[in-house]
Amino acid sequence: MTLPAARLSPEAYARARAFLLERGRPLEAARFRHAFEDGPAGDVLDTLKAYQNPDGGFGRALEPDHRAPQSSTLATSQALRVLHDLDVPATEPLLADAVAWLRSHLQVEEEGSVWPFLPPEAEAHPHAPWWNQAEPGELARTFGGFRVNPRAEIVALLWRWPDLLPEGLLSLLTVETRDAVLEGLDPGDVNGHHVAAMFAQTAEVPGLHREPVLDYLDDVLPSRVSRTPQDFAAYGINPLSAAPTPASPLARPLEEPLAAALTHLLTSQAEDGSWAPNWSWGGQFPDVWPRAEREWRSVRTLEALLTLRAWGRLEGL
C-alpha cells in the first residue's frame, strides 16, 4: 500500500504566512499575497520598483548577497524573474526599462556576448565572498566567463518578450548559450545547473536549442543532485531547483532525489515559520550578514511555499 505523501500542515502554513507578512521584505509579502490570496499584481510591481534605478537597471540589494545600490545584471536578472512570474506585458515600464538596461550592458567577447554580473564599483559595498572582485577578471573566472550563468536564465526569460530585443539578437544569444552548456558544466557549478535547467525547460525557448540541453541535463543531473539530508543542509544542486514542478521534464529522471528533497523541505522549516538559507558569508562583513540572512529567509520562505504548492504538499490548499 502506498502511503499518502507528507504535507505541510495548516498550522505550519500559518506560521510561514505570518513570517512573510509580519517579518518578510515587502516584496516577498506582496508576492505571497498575489500568489496565494489574489492580491493585486500592482502591489508587487510597486514594491519591485523600489529596487530600480533611474538608468532602468535594478540594484539596492534586491539580491541580498550583494548590497551595492548600483544597477547590476545580478539584481536585474532577479527583477526579470519576478516580472516573468507575473506574466507582465511587454509594455510594462519596469520590464521595458530593465531590458533596455540589459541591452546596453551586453558585452561582446570572443566566445559570444555575455552579461557580467556586477560592475567593478560594486566591490566597495558589502557582499558575499563569491562576489569578490578585488582583482581584475576575478568574477569572470569565478563564473566561467558568464557564458552559462547568468546568460542562460536571462535568455530563457526574455523569450517571453522576444520583440523587446533587436531582430536576431535573442536567437544568437540562445545558440551561444546552448553551445556553452553543451561544452559541459563543472559538477560543482550549482547555479550553472540551475539556470541551464531553466533554459532547457522554458517552453518559449525554441525546441531546437533547448532539447539538446535537456538531453544533456537528463544524463548528468541524476549523479550530481543532492540526495541526503546532509546534502540538502549544504549548498548543492537541489533537485527541486532543476525540477520545480511535477510537470518539469527533468522530474522524471530525478524522481527519487525529488522525493527526498520534498521531505527535507517539509522538515526544515524553522520555529518562526521561515526557511533559512543553507549558506553564509563565512565571517565576511559580519555586521551586514544578519540583515542579508533575514532577507534570504523571506525569499526562501516564499520559494518553499510555492514549491510545496506546486507539488501538492500544502494540506488543504
Side-chain angles (χ1 to χ4, degrees), residues 136-249:
E138 182 178 2
L139 207 58
R141 291 190 294 272
T142 299
F143 291 96
F146 315 115
R147 297 179 64 235
V148 174
N149 188 20
R151 186 168 60 177
E153 176 178 16
I154 295 172
V155 168
L157 296 174
L158 287 176
W159 272 105
R160 178 69 58 86
W161 313 280
D163 293 340
L164 290 178
L165 292 181
E167 184 176 0
L169 177 57
L170 186 55
S171 294
L172 176 61
L173 290 167
T174 303
V175 171
E176 291 174 346
T177 301
R178 176 202 66 193
D179 291 348
V181 176
L182 294 180
E183 288 177 13
L185 298 172
D186 185 290
D189 185 356
V190 174
N191 290 323
H193 287 81
H194 172 57
V195 298
M198 288 185 62
F199 179 91
Q201 298 176 110
T202 297
E204 293 94 342
V205 177
L208 174 67
H209 305 305
R210 63 181 175 82
E211 287 171 7
V213 175
L214 187 60
D215 290 342
Y216 167 73
L217 294 173
D218 190 294
D219 182 54
V220 303
L221 274 174
S223 65
R224 295 182 179 180
V225 296
S226 299
R227 290 176 173 269
T228 68
Q230 293 76 20
D231 292 338
F232 296 125
Y235 191 69
I237 305 172
N238 192 308
L240 288 167
S241 294
T245 77
S248 302

Side-chain angles (χ1 to χ4, degrees), residues 88-96 161 164:
V88 301
T91 54
E92 166 55 48
L94 269 69
L95 171 67
W161 313 280
L164 290 178

